[in-house]
Each structure stands twice: as structure tokens, then as C-alpha cells.
Amino acid sequence: YGKTNLENSNILDLENVNGIISSDSRSEIYVRSDYAEYNYTNQESKFYSNVEIRYDNNRITCENLDLIISDNIAVAYNNVVINKDNSLLKAEILTLNITTKDININSKESVKVIKN
């Protein structure tokens, strides 16, 4: 569901968002959130509230995700939790290269890794 933002006509406000980032050479990345803002001018998106990213065997949850198309990155922040192969990792900020799927974790605190 979407509607044009009344304050900025370049922004589309979305609710109950489900998206796919696809590539000819990589598997798809699925993004789900309660809300998002899509910018027509630069094609960047800001997902927020109950954000979930899934690709390969990874599941990442957070409260905010900024998709920066010009840099081919997605930046997850606020309560970032990564689940992969019975491991749980918590971080403050995670940067995902959407082309290579490489992850960079930045955290002021120690990164917590829990393995089951």
C-alpha cells in the first residue's frame, strides 16, 4: 500500500512492505517491514518498524534499514539481530553490500555472538 507524501511529492509512503532485491548473478534478497519511504529521485528507500531481511541462510531483523542504491549498500540499525546456521549475533549497525552480500558490522559496544 502506498501514497504520495504530502510534504514531499518525490517520496512515496508505503505500508506493509514486501520487496525483493534481485540480481542476474546473485540470489535474491527479501525485505519486509511495516513501513517504508521510497524516494523517486534517487531510488533510495528507508524501511522502518519490524524490518526483516532474508537471503541465502541469513535472517536479519532490525528497526531501520536504509537502502542506498547509488552505493549498492543496505544499512541496518537499531536492534540489529543476525541469525545464521544456529548462530545469533547482535550489533548496533550492519552494512550489507547488496551486490556481493558481504557484511560489515560496526558497533561501539562489543559484538555479541551466541552459537547454539
Side-chain angles (χ1 to χ4, degrees):
Y1 168 75
K3 61 182 177 181
T4 302
N5 184 298
L6 297 176
E7 294 175 15
N8 183 345
S9 61
N10 292 325
I11 301 290
L12 181 64
D13 292 324
L14 303 167
E15 291 183 28
N16 299 319
V17 183
N18 287 292
I20 299 173
I21 301 169
S22 59
S23 163
D24 292 336
S25 59
R26 304 275 183 211
S27 60
E28 294 177 330
I29 300 171
Y30 300 92
V31 180
R32 193 206 65 71
S33 68
D34 291 343
Y35 305 99
E37 292 178 358
Y38 173 74
N39 186 317
Y40 288 111
T41 3
N42 58 19
Q43 297 183 329
E44 294 181 358
S45 300
K46 294 179 180 280
F47 300 86
Y48 56 98
S49 186
N50 298 312
V51 180
E52 179 180 37
I53 304 108
R54 287 184 178 269
Y55 67 95
D56 303 333
N57 292 329
N58 297 295
R59 179 177 177 261
I60 302 167
T61 57
C62 58
E63 287 303 312
N64 299 87
L65 176 75
D66 295 348
L67 182 58
I68 306 166
I69 295 294
S70 60
D71 295 332
N72 286 323
I73 61 170
V75 180
Y77 53 100
N78 292 329
N79 301 317
V80 179
V81 178
I82 305 136
N83 289 288
K84 180 181 177 171
D85 300 328
N86 296 325
S87 295
L88 178 73
L89 183 130
K90 295 181 180 181
E92 289 179 28
I93 300 172
L94 175 141
T95 304
L96 169 67
N97 182 310
I98 58 176
T99 305
T100 63
K101 296 188 184 167
D102 291 335
I103 292 176
N104 184 9
I105 298 169
N106 296 312
S107 189
K108 293 177 189 170
E109 305 285 326
S110 297
V111 174
K112 297 177 185 178
V113 179
I114 302 166
K115 176 120 176 140
N116 292 334

